Amino acid sequence: MAKALSRPRRTQVVGDTPMELSVNGRPYKLYLDARVTLLDALRDHMGLTGTKKGCDQGACGACTVHVNGRRVLSCLTLAAQCDDQEVTTIEGLAGAEGPHPLQESFVRHDGFQCGFCTPGQIMSAVALIQEGRAGSDDDVREYMSGNLCRCGAYANIVAAIREVASADGASAGRTSADGASAGSASAARAPRGGTDASL
Amino acid sequence: MLPFDYARATDVDEAVNLLAADTNASYLAGGTTQLDLMKDGVLAPERLVDITRLPMRGITRDDDGLHVAALTTMEELAADSTVVEDFPLVRQALLLGASTQLRNMATIGGNLLQRARCRYFRDPGVAECNKREPGSGCAAVADSARMHAILGVSERCVALHASDLAVALVALDAVVHLQGMSGRRSVPLTQFYREARTSPDVENVLVHGELITGVTIPFLPATATSGYLKVRDRASYEFALASAAVALVTQDGTIGQARVALGGVGSKPWRSLEAEQVLTDAPANEETFREAAAAAVQGAWTLPGTAFKVELAQRTLVRALRNISGVAQ
Ligand SMILES: Cc1cc2nc3c(=O)[nH]c(=O)nc-3n(C[C@H](O)[C@H](O)[C@H](O)COP(=O)(O)OP(=O)(O)OC[C@H]3O[C@@H](n4cnc5c(N)ncnc54)[C@H](O)[C@@H]3O)c2cc1C
Ligand code: FES
Ligand code: FES
């Protein structure tokens, strides 16, 4: 224990799998059991309880966070897999100027009842707008379908997201619903993926 | 989840060697199947070899087709410009599956190897499951489950292969590239999967430790039209009850070439050469499509709970063919 105490402040030793994560810009050095998911690491070992555990099985979206800027499910991600990666949680959204526009918009539109799904909804919505998929109500419904709300606040959630997306002009303009309506072969040109293939 | 060792492989040889050395080890890619089943207690490897840092990411194209490295995510493949332009059925199959969060995690290699969604398979509390415990029986058959397969199944197992992508890829004659202890090989995806009828517990031709390194998707003729149609219980974020991946080359109202694969109904992604045979050299009309659909579901093995899929699969296929050929109902 004496050794552990002499480590830097945000170090936790409860297992033997080492990992260094950057969460909301702060570095964490952890030694955890290999089984610990990113969700449990955030909640139980970093004190970041904003991210919620709904199903713990990849079905509800309550645990949505960003890893390297992409929205993912922290309940099906091992913390160890995030070694050296950048994680953003709901606690990391607000800036010096105050809450994130989506946080304000959810409040203004009553985008929740119990609020349990809300951190996941907002993290998903931030990514949705960055992906350019908030151009219509239908697109928002389709590309937010991985975030369930047991209270059924969907109509207000869509309104909250659309308001911010419209104010955000450029990224809201593109529509990408083609994949959601099978049979349509046309699509907006999307950026090509990486080219460092090795087969 | 039972305890396991976590190891991160940095090159392909290291990954293959780590698995070869340990029959109780598994690969970990996006984790959306692997960790899910470990939480359920269905899988309990003693070691997970994380392959997500291997240099197996990205997409290139040449005359043979599109080469997709195994760690490319579903979202990345769907956004690729060649997929957008030339493989609408692949893009649709990808974007109609799972959710954006899952598609950002899920890899193409992992997608092809996803396990059955059968709730009896996923519940170790159920004793009878020939997929988990060969010879123990099949609780799904006794319970007459609904979300199950009707092709390539028998009373031994009715589990469904739930991948949407794999259905599009068998229609396209995609080839998977493998690397194992005894070297590299390439296998047509149509010969990669095994039917539950013959071997519920052995789902494909992979041997322990063999790594999927990538997939090659050959181009369709430039004049082909193609599409993927998925029918399900809700509009989004749900597995298929029935789906169809189709491609046609039609000239002056006559079908010259056809590709047909069905999802939501097979114990493996179901290519239907029978339907293709009916379509080829036939007039592109409703009658032909219906005849092809009837051929596609021949030999279906149903339970009271899955009997509806015989009709649903046919209607799905007919509608998919109508959509891409512009033939009115
Ligand atoms: C809620 C939910 C909804 C879903 N809906 C859909 C849907 O509608 N349509 C659909 O098609 N899919 C759906 N899926 C399944 C999802 O697409 C798969 O779980 C995913 O593609 C698996 O990829 P992965 O990278 O996460 O694989 P992992 O979970 O990491 O691995 C899966 C298996 O493959 C092995 N493996 C992985 N990569 C390799 C490799 N390169 N070589 C050898 N072995 C390897 C692993 O050892 C493991 O056994 C859904 C999943 C969830 C949880
Ligand atoms: S807690 Fe992760 S998806 Fe439900
Ligand atoms: S606000 Fe209660 S679950 Fe969404």
Side-chain angles (χ1 to χ4, degrees), chain A residues 39 52-64 73-76:
Chain A
L39 174 60
K52 300 298 183 230
K53 182 185 286 190
C55 62
D56 209 20
Q57 295 258 233
C60 75
C63 65
T64 303
L73 302 176
S74 58
C75 71
L76 288 185

Side-chain angles (χ1 to χ4, degrees), chain B residues 177-222:
Chain B
H177 305 290
L178 310 175
Q179 184 167 339
M181 277 309 275
S182 45
R184 295 163 189 243
R185 59 180 180 139
S186 295
V187 181
L189 199 59
T190 48
Q191 291 165 33
F192 180 75
Y193 294 107
R194 298 181 59 174
E195 295 179 14
R197 178 163 54 190
T198 41
S199 59
D201 57 318
V202 184
E203 295 176 2
N204 53 56
V205 302
L206 275 188
V207 298
H208 176 75
E210 239 176 341
L211 188 71
I212 297 183
T213 55
V215 179
T216 297
I217 316 173
F219 289 106
L220 287 168

Side-chain angles (χ1 to χ4, degrees), chain A residues 49-52 61-62 64 90 115-124 147:
Chain A
T49 53
T51 307
K52 300 298 183 230
T64 303
I90 189 77
F116 194 83
C117 71
T118 312
Q121 299 279 2
I122 292 179
M123 292 312 289
S124 207
N147 290 86

Side-chain angles (χ1 to χ4, degrees), chain B residues 64-79:
Chain B
D64 294 336
L66 196 65
H67 304 284
V68 184
L71 292 173
T72 307
T73 66
M74 292 172 72
E75 276 285 313
E76 286 165 352
L77 184 57

